[in-house]
Amino acid sequence: MAAGFWDYIVESMPSILEGLVYSVKLFFLVGIITLPLSMLVAVAAARGPKWFKGIYKVYSWLFQGSPLMLQLYLAYYGLPFFDVILPVDFVVITVFVLCFTAYQSEIFRGGIISTDIGQYEACQVLGMTKVQTMLRVVIPQTVRKVLPSTCSQAIVLFKDTSLVATIGVGDLLRSARALVIRDLRIDAFVVVLVIYLIISSILVAIFNKMEKKYSIYV
Amino acid sequence: MELFNYILTIMPMMLTGLVTTLHMYFWSAIFVIPLAIFFAFLKVSGPRPIRWILNVYTWAWRGTPLLLQLMVAIFGLPTIGINISNKFAVAAVVFCLNNTAYVTEIMRSAIESVDKGQYEACQVLGFSRVWTILRVIIPQSIRIALPPTCSMMINLIKDMALVNIISLMDLTRSAYIISNRDSTISPYVIAFIMFLLITSVLIKLFGVLEKRAMRYD
Amino acid sequence: MSQEVMIKLVDIDKSYGEVQVLKGVNLEVMRGQTISIIGPSGSGKSTLLRCINKLEAINSGYIEIEGITVASANCPDHPMASAAQVKSALGKTGMVFQSFNLFPHMTVMQNLIEAPVHVKKIPKAQAIEIAKEKLAEVGLSDKADAYPSKLSGGQKQRVAIARALAMSPDVILFDEPTSALDPELIGEVLDVIKGLAEQHMTMMVVTHEMGFAKEVSDRVIFMDNCNIVADRPPQEFFSDPDHPRIKAFLDKMLTKHG
C-alpha cells in the first residue's frame, strides 16, 4: 500500500462516511416500503381477480427481465423528456421499490400458493374468515417459509444501492470513485470494499440468526 | 413515421452495442460452470489451505457489489501500476469471477445436500473419496444445482448493463450516448426492449435445459 | 338416550365433474350418538363428512344441522337458512382431519385458543383456561408450549382433537383420524375418541379401524358405490353381515389387519 495510507484515509473519511450514510438510508427506506408492498401485491396476485394477475405478470416481466441500472437510467434521464422533473432521491427510491417489489412479491406469492390446502380447510372448519385466514395463518407461515430467500434479496439490495453512483447520486461508491479519480490512489476503493464486506457479513450473520430462530417450528 | 425513421437511423449503432453486450456475455459465461464445479470440488475435498483461499474468494466476491469490483479493476488497478489496455478482457474476467463465486456456493451446497447413503454405498464398494465425489456425487449435485445456476446465468445478462461505466460501447452506453446527442428517450426504450427480449429468450432456453436434465425424475 | 335429530341429510348427490361420489344419500344422526362410517376407499365416506360442514358443495339435496338448513341444492321446498344462521349452525360442528392440519407456526396453546379468541371472541384468559382443560382431557397438558413439529403423529392428532373441542362443538366429524399414524400410535388417539363417546359427544367417524367401530360406536354405516348400503348397530353388523359386499369387505379387512 502507498505510503501515508492511514493519513490519507483519515483525511478522506468524511466524504466516504457521507456516502455510507446515503447508502444505508436508501437500503432501509427501500426495504421498509418494499416488504409490506410486496406482500399486498403477492396476496392479490395469488388470490385476487384475474385482471390483476394479468397486470402482475406484465409488471413482473418488465422489472425482472431488465437490468435495474437501465431502469434507473430510463427514469432518471427519461422523465425530463416528458417535462416531469422530480427530486432525484424520489426517482431513485421509486425505481428501487418497483424493481425489488417485482422480485420480492414473486417470492411471497410462491410461499402463499405453496401453503397446504389443509391449512385453509382447518381455518374454515374453525369458522375463521378469509381475511383472518390470510392474516393469521397463511401470511405468518409464508413469511417464515420464505425468510431465507428474503434475506438474500436484502443483501442483493444493499449491494445494488451502489448503482445510484452511476447517475451521480452521492452514495458510498460514488464518493470512493471521485476520490480515486481525483487523487489517482486506490485507497478509497479498498476502504469501501472493506465497508461493503463488513456490512454484508453483518447482514448475513443477522439473517442466519433469524433463520435459526424461525426454523424451530418446521 | 418520423419516429420509425429515427429508430432506423440509430439502429446500426444500437445493434453494434448489442453485439458487444452479447460478446461480453459469452466470454463472461462460458467458463463459469466448469470453474464453479472445479472450485466446489476443491471446497469439499481439497487440501485445507486451498479450501481456505476459496472460502475467502467466495466471501469477498459475494460480499461486495459487482459495480465496485468493476471499478476497482478498471480505475483502481492502474493507480497501483497494473495497466491492462484491454478493458474488454478485464471486464469479462470480473464478470466471470463474480458469477463463479455465486455458482461455486450453489454447487457446494448441492454437493453437501446429496444423501449420506450415497457416500456409504461408495465406501462399501471400495471407491476412493475423490472417485466417489467425481463419479457419484458431482453428477447428482449438478442436477440439484441446475435451477439456481440457470437463474444466476440469467442474472448475468442483466449485469451486462454495468459494462457501460467503463466506456466500452455496449448496448447501454450506446443508448446513453445517442440519447445525449439527440435529446431523446427512444434509445433507452430500445435498449430496455432488447434486454427484455434477451432475458425472455434465455429464460426459455434454460427452461428447456432444466426440463431435459430433469426428465429422469 | 334422547332421539333428537342433530344432523339430517336428504337425497344428497355429489359429483366431481363426471365422477359421481354420492348418489341419493339419506342419513339422520341423533344427539349423543357415535357413528362409524366404513367402506372401501372411493365409496364417498370422506366426501359425505365434508359435505356436512360445507368443505364440499352438494349438487342436489339438503342438509340440516339442528334444524337449520345449511346446504341446499335443487330443493325449492328447503331453502338455505340465512347466512348468519348457517354460520352459527356450522359453528357447532368441529372437524378432525387425517393430516391433522395444525398450524405449524403456532404453539399447541396458540393453536387451541386461535379460533375461540378470534372467531368466538372469548376473552383470552378464559380461552386459555378452556384450552388447558381440553389439553388435560387428551393427556397433553405438558405440551402446551411445544410447536407441532416437536410432537409425534399421535400427539398431533390429540392436539387437533383438543383444538376442535376448544370450540365446544355439538358434533365432531372425524375424517380418518388414524390413517396417517404409525400402528403403535393409533391406540392413544382412539382412546381419546372413546373417552368422548363415553361422555355422549355426538361424533361421526370415518375409519378403517374395525375394532373401534365394533366396540365404541352406536351405529355402523357401511358405504359402497356412492351410497349407504347398511346402517345397523355394531353387534348385528359384524355378527351377521347380510350383504355380499359387506362380507367381502369385512373378510378383506380382517385378513389384512389380523
Side-chain angles (χ1 to χ4, degrees), chain A residues 1 61-71 73-74 77-79 81-82 103 155-156 158-160 162-166 173 176-177 180-181 183-187 189-190 192-194 196-198 200-201, chain B residues 59-69 71-73 75-77 79-80 102 154-155 157-159 161-165 172 175-176 179-180 182-185 188-189 191-193 195-197 199-200 203:
Chain A
M1 203 62 54
W61 176 64
L62 284 177
F63 281 89
Q64 292 197 37
S66 62
L68 173 55
M69 185 184 240
L70 197 53
Q71 294 163 17
Y73 280 15
L74 203 52
Y77 297 117
L79 286 176
F81 288 118
F82 299 100
Y103 288 95
I155 294 164
V156 170
F158 185 69
K159 287 184 288 179
D160 275 357
S162 64
L163 293 181
V164 298
T166 60
L173 179 52
R177 183 167 72 158
V180 168
I181 289 174
D183 303 338
L184 291 177
R185 296 177 58 141
I186 200 172
D187 315 40
F189 273 159
V190 176
V192 173
L193 275 171
V194 171
Y196 270 111
L197 266 181
I198 292 173
S200 35
S201 302
Chain B
W59 171 69
W61 283 77
R62 295 190 318 148
T64 52
L66 174 55
L67 183 60
L68 176 56
Q69 294 161 7
M71 284 188 180
V72 171
F75 305 120
L77 290 184
T79 66
I80 52 170
Y102 288 92
I154 292 163
N155 267 344
I157 189 73
K158 288 184 270 173
D159 288 342
L162 304 191
V163 173
N164 82 89
I165 61 129
T172 314
Y176 175 78
S179 173
N180 266 357
D182 302 345
S183 285
T184 160
I185 189 185
Y188 281 122
V189 177
F192 190 84
I193 294 171
F195 264 111
L196 272 181
L197 290 179
T199 42
S200 304
I203 289 171

Side-chain angles (χ1 to χ4, degrees), chain A residues 45-202:
Chain A
R47 298 269 171 264
K50 234 189 175 133
W51 60 265
F52 186 87
K53 289 178 190 171
I55 295 176
Y56 174 75
K57 254 192 178 157
V58 175
Y59 158 70
S60 130
W61 176 64
L62 284 177
F63 281 89
Q64 292 197 37
S66 62
L68 173 55
M69 185 184 240
L70 197 53
Q71 294 163 17
L72 270 177
Y73 280 15
L74 203 52
Y76 180 73
Y77 297 117
L79 286 176
F81 288 118
F82 299 100
D83 289 324
V84 181
I85 310 294
L86 296 167
V88 186
D89 291 347
F90 179 79
V91 174
V92 166
I93 291 169
T94 308
V95 172
F96 268 81
V97 165
L98 284 174
C99 179
F100 276 87
T101 299
Y103 288 95
Q104 190 59 36
S105 58
E106 193 53 30
I107 293 172
F108 281 145
R109 194 184 67 94
I112 290 172
I113 58 176
S114 70
T115 302
D116 183 35
I117 182 103
Q119 294 291 313
Y120 291 96
E121 290 184 349
C123 292
Q124 199 184 328
V125 302
L126 289 170
M128 295 166 76
T129 63
K130 283 201 168 122
V131 175
Q132 283 176 328
T133 304
M134 262 297 155
L135 287 181
R136 300 206 44 94
V137 174
V138 178
I139 290 179
Q141 286 181 37
T142 296
V143 169
R144 287 163 169 82
K145 205 174 351 177
V146 303
L147 195 64
S149 11
T150 304
C151 292
S152 34
Q153 266 316 102
I155 294 164
V156 170
L157 170 62
F158 185 69
K159 287 184 288 179
D160 275 357
T161 56
S162 64
L163 293 181
V164 298
T166 60
I167 56 168
V169 175
D171 78 319
L172 191 52
L173 179 52
R174 180 169 165 87
S175 313
R177 183 167 72 158
L179 286 168
V180 168
I181 289 174
R182 187 191 72 190
D183 303 338
L184 291 177
R185 296 177 58 141
I186 200 172
D187 315 40
F189 273 159
V190 176
V191 174
V192 173
L193 275 171
V194 171
I195 292 177
Y196 270 111
L197 266 181
I198 292 173
I199 294 182
S200 35
S201 302
I202 292 174

